Amino acid sequence: MSLSNKLSKILIIDFGSQFTQLIARRIRELGVFSEIVSHKKVNIKNILQENISGIILSGGPLNVYQNNKFKFEKKILKLGIPILGICFGHQILSKELGGSVKKSNYREFGLATITKISNSILTKDFFNKNNVSNVWMSHADQVSKMPTGFKIVASTKNSKLTIIENSKTNFYGVQFHPEVTHTPKGKILLRNFLFLICKMKKNWSSRDQKLKLINEIKQQVGENKVICGLSGGVDSSVVAQLLSKAIGKKLTCIFVNNGLLRKNEEFQVVNTFKKKLKMNLIYVNAEKEFIKKLTNVSDPEKKRKIIGNLFIKIFERYARKIKNVKFLAQGTLYPDLIESKSVTGSQSSKIKSHHNVGGLPKRMKLKLVEPLKFLFKDEVRKLGLELNLSSDIISRHPFPGPGLAIRMPGIITNEKIKILKEADYYFVKALRDHDLYHKIWQAYAALLPVKTVGVMGDNRTYEHICLLRAITSEDGMTADFYDFPKGFMQLVSNQIINNISGINRVVYDVTSKPPSTIELE
Ligand code: XMP
């Protein structure tokens, strides 16, 4: 029996919401283990064998009367396990218990204020002293008739049945999304569900996570060998260390220098992993191969695909040299996954092909080990500390797989790479020197594909624009630009222009995500 079967947990039944992973994350943040299962795969026998203390029904894009498009296992209503329905989950729970759902006269998207109607254990500490709370809504349908045995806990102006409960059966429904940060007290509501209604005890920490992941890697890999694409960033470093703990010398890390790394990165990676951590590490200098393949390519998606495919080709080339290699380990994170293709196969529109996911060749010969694919960046960082990786590695800003290629819109040339590496170096150095590096989630320099006129000394210049981007974020899915004091920007701009030939103008990107993305391509 796996560790996850023994642990008391919350089962989240996913109906395709883009926030399902956030529900799992919030629950884990509250110190409780949670697992997600697609609505299509709910199996009552498994539920009975496992130690499930509560069930959450997620939101989703469908209407509850589109019965042929989703599966609802009615038997879960007879198990005596507390259930919390969120958004679509609230609607389907209500419908299945005899209520009805209809299109709302007023669709509610975004912030809404809900008012307390009656006391509930679910909403302990959730309302302010005026009996209201702000929540985040995203629905077009609403519950129009309450199921028998339920009472109203809270309403909005437009939707009477915003929170309902049946405290005898321990069934609860909320029309809004408590899992998103825009519902400021959403976590309190989830906390009440876990600890007051499901009566759970804390059982989930970075240490538990580490043990579970190591266990799963052992089971997946068996006696086979694994190669791990190491980039030196937080994610792949944590993956390498996890694998090293799970399978020891059956792991070989391959570090590919694609020529699109930050300045001196290759030396730092070899030094840390080969010399300090004593891992099996193969250093591959493939600078020329990458640059040749990228010649004259300016389309962002093409760049990503070329880089992703070439990475895999090189891994496979080296894998062939080591006997019994069946797996390739990657540091794919949850945000990489949902922005390329939803975990449940539901309709999240494609924004970019992150090279860990979208760029993989269709007929890849190695199977993937992706132990971090359900984790967010901050969870990975905590896990890294638990794995004794140095805080220097753990607190590094994220760096994308395609590297500087996607920070250089237009075609890629050796000259541009050289200029960009220097600009990035000066920017990041200034952040460190001014104690700003750790206040920022990610920062980088980019080179724009336009030249502008400047004047240096008494001479006209006609050179590149360097764009600086620095953002704050929780998990990379949304971001705000960092508001530097004016003096700092002037200083960095001077340092870049005075030290690097090829740049005569520095601009700062003040867009958030959305509407922009963090990277330029
Ligand atoms: P975007 O630009 O999509 O970036 O807002 C979100 C986060 O993901 C990183 N990123 C990548 N990471 N492979 C990666 O491993 C990729 O292809 C990739 N593209 C973007 C980006 O740096 C930011 O942290």
Side-chain angles (χ1 to χ4, degrees):
M1 194 186 261
S2 76
L3 176 70
S4 60
N5 282 348
K6 281 185 268 168
L7 274 179
S8 152
K9 68 182 163 199
I10 291 287
L11 185 73
I12 301 163
I13 300 180
D14 178 29
F15 290 95
S17 162
Q18 53 174 320
F19 301 125
T20 303
Q21 292 286 330
L22 274 184
I23 305 174
R25 180 178 171 192
R26 295 289 170 249
I27 289 170
R28 290 188 232 155
E29 280 169 5
L30 287 161
V32 164
F33 182 55
S34 62
E35 261 183 7
I36 296 175
V37 61
S38 159
H39 60 96
K40 294 177 213 150
K41 296 202 177 140
V42 175
N43 179 324
I44 217 74
K45 257 199 215 148
N46 289 352
I47 293 183
L48 287 172
Q49 274 168 14
E50 294 178 16
N51 191 355
I52 291 170
S53 303
I55 295 175
I56 295 184
L57 310 175
S58 86
L62 297 172
N63 169 284
V64 293
Y65 295 105
Q66 293 171 297
N67 288 348
N68 55 343
K69 295 207 172 147
F70 65 90
K71 185 182 148 215
F72 185 82
E73 176 52 91
K74 290 186 196 313
K75 289 182 191 145
I76 61 166
L77 303 172
K78 303 275 179 222
L79 300 175
I81 299 176
I83 299 181
L84 171 66
I86 294 177
C87 197
F88 175 86
H90 163 56
Q91 296 163 9
I92 186 74
L93 183 67
S94 301
K95 186 204 135 202
E96 291 297 332
L97 293 168
S100 16
V101 174
K102 63 166 202 206
K103 242 194 183 2
S104 321
N105 292 335
Y106 301 94
R107 290 154 22 127
E108 292 177 299
F109 289 97
L111 207 64
T113 301
I114 63 170
T115 307
K116 176 174 163 180
I117 305 291
S118 63
N119 281 330
S120 165
I121 188 168
L122 183 71
T123 53
K124 183 172 180 277
D125 303 328
F126 183 74
F127 294 101
N128 68 15
K129 43 180 199 313
N130 299 323
N131 285 333
V132 294
S133 196
N134 285 336
V135 299
W136 196 80
M137 298 268 199
S138 179
H139 69 113
D141 292 349
Q142 66 178 29
V143 179
S144 51
K145 182 182 142 225
M146 201 158 51
T148 345
F150 276 70
K151 70 168 190 189
I152 304 177
V153 176
S155 306
T156 66
K157 263 198 231 139
N158 306 319
S159 147
K160 237 170 85 185
L161 309 176
T162 300
I163 305 184
I164 58 171
E165 74 162 27
N166 181 339
S167 57
K168 284 209 184 90
T169 53
N170 271 328
F171 291 163
Y172 298 80
V174 298
Q175 183 52 69
F176 54 91
H177 288 270
E179 69 277 23
V180 303
T181 46
H182 302 79
T183 299
K185 292 198 173 165
K187 215 164 159 178
I188 292 179
L189 191 136
L190 292 173
R191 182 197 71 190
N192 294 339
F193 181 66
L194 301 183
F195 300 115
L196 303 182
I197 294 166
C198 302
K199 311 233 181 300
M200 297 189 80
K201 298 236 154 36
K202 288 191 179 191
N203 63 4
W204 191 236
S205 63
S206 293
R207 186 164 184 280
D208 299 316
Q209 221 164 335
K210 178 182 85 173
L211 297 175
K212 179 176 179 281
L213 291 173
I214 289 178
N215 212 19
E216 283 174 358
I217 294 169
K218 280 184 184 162
Q219 284 186 6
Q220 187 188 359
V221 168
E223 285 309 305
N224 294 300
K225 289 190 180 157
V226 182
I227 49 172
C228 170
L230 184 66
S231 71
V234 187
D235 312 336
S236 66
S237 301
V238 172
V239 169
Q241 186 75 330
L242 257 180
L243 270 122
S244 170
K245 301 255 184 230
I247 59 166
K249 291 288 175 195
K250 280 181 277 179
L251 169 72
T252 304
C253 292
I254 300 182
F255 172 59
V256 179
N257 178 358
N258 59 7
L260 298 157
L261 305 172
R262 280 171 290 209
K263 188 177 172 180
N264 293 333
E265 183 115 44
E266 57 275 30
F267 303 112
Q268 287 160 10
V269 171
V270 173
N271 193 37
T272 307
F273 290 90
K274 196 166 184 141
K275 300 202 173 133
K276 284 198 193 133
L277 294 175
K278 310 260 181 262
M279 286 192 196
N280 283 338
L281 175 72
I282 299 175
Y283 170 68
V284 184
N285 188 344
E287 281 182 84
K288 288 197 181 128
E289 211 173 332
F290 274 91
I291 306 304
K292 197 168 154 212
K293 273 255 187 275
L294 288 164
T295 309
N296 289 329
V297 177
S298 57
D299 178 75
E301 279 297 294
K302 277 195 189 141
K303 283 184 188 174
R304 285 176 169 275
K305 292 253 151 82
I306 289 172
I307 295 170
N309 286 344
L310 193 50
F311 256 113
I312 300 296
K313 237 171 106 180
I314 293 174
F315 282 132
E316 289 189 320
R317 198 185 295 159
Y318 280 83
R320 279 195 292 273
K321 297 184 186 179
I322 314 165
K323 265 195 186 163
N324 270 339
V325 172
K326 292 268 159 56
F327 294 94
L328 167 69
Q330 287 202 136
T332 312
L333 298 194
Y334 179 59
D336 302 343
L337 224 70
I338 38 173
E339 288 192 0
S340 281
K341 181 169 135 260
S342 152
V343 201
T344 49
S346 65
Q347 336 285 321
S348 279
S349 73
K350 178 171 158 182
I351 297 159
K352 297 176 187 180
S353 301
H354 283 230
H355 100 245
N356 284 336
V357 183
L360 293 180
K362 289 212 173 61
R363 290 189 325 109
M364 212 191 62
K365 294 182 190 89
L366 296 169
K367 287 189 199 139
L368 290 179
V369 184
E370 296 178 301
L372 311 181
K373 73 177 171 193
F374 290 118
L375 300 188
F376 290 88
K377 199 89 187 178
D378 51 337
E379 291 181 300
V380 173
R381 290 204 161 106
K382 284 187 202 139
L383 182 64
L385 289 175
E386 188 60 42
L387 286 160
N388 295 328
L389 283 171
S390 77
S391 62
D392 201 36
I393 294 179
I394 297 306
S395 58
R396 294 184 80 183
H397 289 177
F399 188 69
L404 301 183
I406 56 170
R407 294 177 176 177
M408 199 185 294
I411 59 159
I412 296 167
T413 64
N414 281 322
E415 190 219 351
K416 281 186 178 176
I417 294 175
K418 204 171 135 216
I419 297 173
L420 183 51
K421 278 192 180 190
E422 289 300 319
D424 191 69
Y425 168 79
Y426 280 105
F427 184 30
V428 173
K429 183 174 179 309
L431 293 176
R432 288 195 188 275
D433 291 348
H434 289 79
D435 271 339
L436 291 167
Y437 187 83
H438 297 295
K439 294 188 179 137
I440 288 165
W441 199 80
Q442 187 171 11
Y444 67 84
L447 208 61
L448 299 185
V450 274
K451 288 188 172 184
T452 63
V453 173
V455 54
M456 278 174 109
D458 287 331
N459 295 319
R460 175 189 193 267
T461 57
Y462 186 56
E463 290 174 344
H464 291 285
I465 301 181
C466 169
L467 173 141
L468 302 180
R469 183 130 171 85
I471 52 107
T472 53
S473 175
E474 202 184 336
D475 48 32
M477 295 180 75
T478 57
D480 280 324
F481 77 92
Y482 187 78
D483 204 2
F484 287 111
K486 180 170 166 248
F488 178 80
M489 274 288 134
Q490 257 166 359
L491 178 125
V492 178
S493 167
N494 285 345
Q495 283 185 349
I496 288 178
I497 289 175
N498 292 342
N499 287 294
I500 308 166
S501 89
I503 293 174
N504 66 356
R505 195 178 294 268
V506 175
V507 297
Y508 186 50
D509 186 343
V510 292
T511 37
S512 54
K513 173 185 179 177
S516 292
T517 51
I518 296 175
E519 301 292 344
L520 296 193
E521 295 191 326

